[in-house]
Amino acid sequence: MNFLPIRRAILSVTDKSGLADFASFLAERGVELVSTGGTHKKLVAAGLKVASVSDVTGFPEILGGRVKTLHPRIHAGILADKDNPGHLLTLDELRIQSFDMVCVNLYNFADAAAKGVDLKSAVEEIDIGGPCMLRAAAKNFHSMLVVPDPAYYPRVQADMEANSGGVSLALRRELAAETFARVSAYDDMIAKYLAKTAL
């Protein structure tokens, strides 16, 4: 599809700059918002109607937040190919709603490493759910918009305004490529840190 209508978005961000304004823009255009932990609190505090991931999955965030978005009701909603009738039938049979946008940026591992915290503390700043959602959304760019950084909020808003609430395939592909580059750099940074850090 050349233009993807944005009707449902999941937001889970460490860098919350511009978040409330961006989410308000989406909400004003009828986009259903879903979010996690601190992002959810920020959006609720801004007066926005937003469902928690636990509302969607029917399962609480566990292990101190290590497991929250790793669930079929999240990932099937992200990975479903909207051009594939079989995928849409499966979602319907299992009563899973699809997403149209994934807005995620990652735990700031570089900051934790720069502070010289101990290895176990640094490991807690390795994001798992975030990269999984980013990669899933980027893979499925034909059916999904991935937004990996607040710097892209204005681009997304302009595209939606120009396309009656939809986003172009060109922007979706561009941000998918950018997302894979960012996740790759994130993993490379962690690999180098672990290789040089003494036990």
Side-chain angles (χ1 to χ4, degrees):
M1 57 185 72
N2 287 331
F3 293 99
L4 173 74
I6 303 298
R7 302 188 181 98
R8 190 167 187 247
I10 183 165
L11 305 96
S12 181
V13 298
T14 297
D15 181 352
K16 296 177 176 60
S17 58
L19 173 67
D21 288 343
F22 183 58
S24 295
F25 171 89
L26 297 175
E28 287 166 4
R29 283 150 184 80
V31 179
E32 178 188 347
L33 305 178
V34 177
S35 64
T36 60
T39 305
H40 184 267
K41 290 177 184 176
K42 177 85 171 178
L43 296 180
V44 169
L48 294 169
K49 181 181 177 182
V50 54
S52 71
V53 164
S54 294
D55 293 334
V56 174
T57 63
F59 205 85
E61 296 184 11
I62 60 172
L63 306 183
R66 281 189 171 195
V67 178
K68 47 195 173 190
T69 58
L70 298 170
H71 192 281
R73 291 197 174 276
I74 300 299
H75 281 273
I78 294 171
L79 280 165
D81 178 353
K82 295 183 177 78
D83 294 323
N84 185 324
H87 285 197
L88 298 181
L89 180 61
T90 297
L91 293 187
D92 187 56
E93 288 174 344
L94 297 175
R95 298 181 181 178
I96 296 173
Q97 288 182 269
S98 63
F99 289 99
D100 306 300
M101 176 191 293
V102 167
C103 178
V104 169
N105 56 69
L106 304 174
Y107 295 170
N108 194 339
F109 182 82
D111 187 55
K115 289 178 180 175
V117 299
D118 63 87
L119 180 59
K120 194 165 181 65
S121 297
V123 164
E124 287 305 313
E125 296 303 315
I126 298 175
D127 204 325
I128 300 299
C132 289
M133 287 194 291
L134 286 173
R135 286 175 55 84
K139 170 180 177 171
N140 199 27
F141 69 88
H142 280 99
S143 296
M144 178 73 52
L145 171 69
V146 59
V147 186
D149 191 284
Y152 295 106
Y153 295 168
R155 290 273 309 281
V156 172
Q157 291 177 223
D159 211 57
M160 288 180 67
E161 287 177 333
N163 299 302
S164 303
V167 287
S168 64
L169 179 58
L171 181 61
R172 299 196 314 269
R173 180 173 175 172
E174 177 188 339
L175 292 189
E178 175 64 19
T179 294
F180 278 119
R182 283 172 179 258
V183 173
S184 176
Y186 188 78
D187 286 343
D188 184 60
M189 171 179 60
I190 293 167
K192 288 175 179 174
Y193 172 85
L194 292 177
K196 72 178 183 181
T197 302
L199 292 175

